[in-house]
Amino acid sequence: MRYAFASPGWMAFMHGLVTERVRRFQTEAPDIAWSICEVFTDPPAELSPHGSPLAWHCIVKDGAVTFAATETDDVEFKVFIDYEAVVPLGRYDTRGDPARQAELGAMAQALRDAGKMRVIGDRSRRDPRVGDFHDLIARVTA
């Protein structure tokens, strides 16, 4: 099944993905904690009839997941990005290929350079045991 980027179905998939990953950590690494918020500006009318930005945030701490389709500042890593600009990134499956991962990084950097993306925090400080969610998300993003 595929979902429109940042749609309610996409958000439900994200919530499930994070919850499943945290469930696995309960025995492997119960001390893992991370938090993220993404805000998508200028979304299409079918997803935001009033033109309000779309957002989601996730806070993982002490084995619990707080996930909501809202914006928050109480996170370690936060991204503000133009909706139309982020969709190609959201659909880009790196297939675990380092060259494609570098290309995805370059695409993101180009958006920052163009003023279409702003990042607060340092995602590289996230515990590496969390792993990467990007390709799984890309495979379900329409």
Side-chain angles (χ1 to χ4, degrees):
M1 176 149 264
R2 296 175 64 84
Y3 306 97
F5 186 86
S7 67
W10 187 89
M11 296 281 187
F13 175 83
M14 293 287 292
H15 186 189
L17 180 63
V18 171
T19 300
E20 174 57 23
R21 181 87 38 111
V22 169
R23 184 197 61 75
R24 283 189 309 157
F25 290 149
Q26 288 178 341
T27 55
E28 297 170 16
D31 60 319
I32 286 184
W34 81 89
S35 57
I36 184 172
C37 178
E38 292 184 332
V39 180
F40 310 118
T41 58
D42 298 318
E46 62 268 15
L47 294 177
S48 179
H50 303 291
S52 301
L54 300 172
W56 70 277
H57 75 270
C58 179
I59 301 168
V60 175
K61 187 174 182 180
D62 299 325
V65 176
T66 301
F67 188 98
T70 59
E71 179 180 353
T72 186
D73 291 328
D74 190 24
V75 292
E76 299 164 333
F77 184 73
K78 188 169 183 178
V79 177
F80 296 87
I81 189 164
D82 177 78
Y83 181 91
E84 292 301 321
V86 74
V87 170
L89 272 68
R91 292 177 180 157
Y92 189 86
D93 186 349
T94 70
R95 300 187 296 265
D97 178 346
R100 290 180 63 83
Q101 290 168 345
E103 187 174 358
L104 179 64
M107 292 164 66
Q109 184 60 52
L111 292 178
R112 285 198 254 345
D113 293 347
K116 294 184 178 202
M117 178 179 179
R118 182 169 56 102
V119 175
I120 299 169
D122 183 0
R123 188 170 168 168
S124 69
R125 294 178 37 211
R126 184 172 77 178
D127 190 315
R129 295 175 296 177
V130 172
D132 188 20
F133 294 87
H134 180 83
D135 285 348
L136 293 171
I137 296 163
R139 292 173 193 144
V140 302
T141 301

